[in-house]
Amino acid sequence: DNVKATFGASDDLQIYHDGSQSVIHDNGTGNLHIRADNLNILNAAATENYLTADSNGALVAFHNGSAKLATTSTGIDVTGTVGATTVDLGNWTVTESAGVLKFATGGVNKMKLDASGNFTVVGDVTAFGTI
């Protein structure tokens, strides 16, 4: 405890245990780089993944040992529920507040859907079929 392995002219990088926790402390200029073709961050017993990253492949985040978020060549895959109050879809944003979904473009609400199923639209409505 409290013995530090130090690196750099000004002890820029330190690895130590302070009696309560283990620490990798980068105190220098620039970024801390961890270089590996395949990286796994695991629990202390090495029985559960927290994060994996594969060269030219996916970065996967885990919860309680189960993959929940993974990058793909086209975006991301999510396993489970996504919780959000606002989703930015480029030209459109969808916001939920007090059970009401609001659809906006250019910062102006254009449509609203409430929990009772009432749908309000600003502007003209073009419909095909029965309304």
Side-chain angles (χ1 to χ4, degrees), residues 13-36:
L13 179 63
Q14 303 174 5
I15 302 173
Y16 59 93
H17 191 275
D18 66 7
S20 298
Q21 54 197 359
S22 298
V23 178
I24 299 173
H25 183 160
D26 176 19
N27 196 32
T29 58
N31 297 319
L32 173 65
H33 291 250
I34 299 173
R35 297 182 183 189

Side-chain angles (χ1 to χ4, degrees), residues 2 4 10 34 44 55 58 63 65:
N2 299 314
K4 295 182 181 182
S10 300
I34 299 173
S55 184
H63 176 80

